Amino acid sequence: MKTKLFFLSALLLAMLGVCGCGGDDDDKTTFQSRWSGCKNESYDTRSGNQLPWDEECVEYEAKDGGRLYLKHVNALFNCATENVEVITSVNGNHINIVEHAIGNMSANCICPSDVECLLSGLSKGEYSISIFRERISEADLQFSFSIDYEESLKGILKR
């Protein structure tokens, strides 16, 4: 029984990984992501100034080849978070990003961390972006903004 449960769990995780790394229906848009883990200190990557760890922001920048770099700075997660899975979907000109914490979430504390995402396969034009943090039973909207994607795009969005 344990073997079957392990096999089914592994299969489900593999399927989530395949689904999570896709893009729109045409599979033109792909992404990579990275989670920093809990941080002790936070810095504004543009100025180098230390930020209060409860000051969340999103940095974004166009990269060559139709790529968009997004960094959710000081995203707050439970201290027991083991990893953050990033799931993206692109529907036309709307990009949804869901940050899903993995772990037992039993700690009585939160910590800041950075979630980075590099989307590929974008064309020049306007996009609306929504970033959600998934909780146990629902996803909370963290940021919602629009960009005009072009080579010179670079900015920061603070709450």
Side-chain angles (χ1 to χ4, degrees), residues 2 4-5 13 29 38 54 56 73 79 124 143 159:
K2 287 183 182 179
K4 285 183 181 179
L5 183 58
L13 285 173
T29 306
C38 286
D54 61 344
E56 284 185 69
V73 178
C79 295
K124 288 185 179 182
F143 288 92
R159 284 193 197 260

Side-chain angles (χ1 to χ4, degrees), residues 35-52:
W35 176 62
S36 69
C38 286
K39 303 188 308 185
N40 291 327
E41 297 177 346
S42 302
Y43 292 91
D44 182 331
T45 56
R46 298 176 128 206
S47 69
N49 296 331
Q50 189 168 356
L51 294 172

Side-chain angles (χ1 to χ4, degrees), residues 58-60 70 94 127-131 143-147 157:
V58 174
E59 298 173 356
Y60 54 91
L70 295 162
H94 188 80
Y127 291 88
S128 60
I129 300 173
S130 297
I131 300 175
F143 288 92
S144 185
F145 58 102
S146 295
I147 60 167
L157 178 68

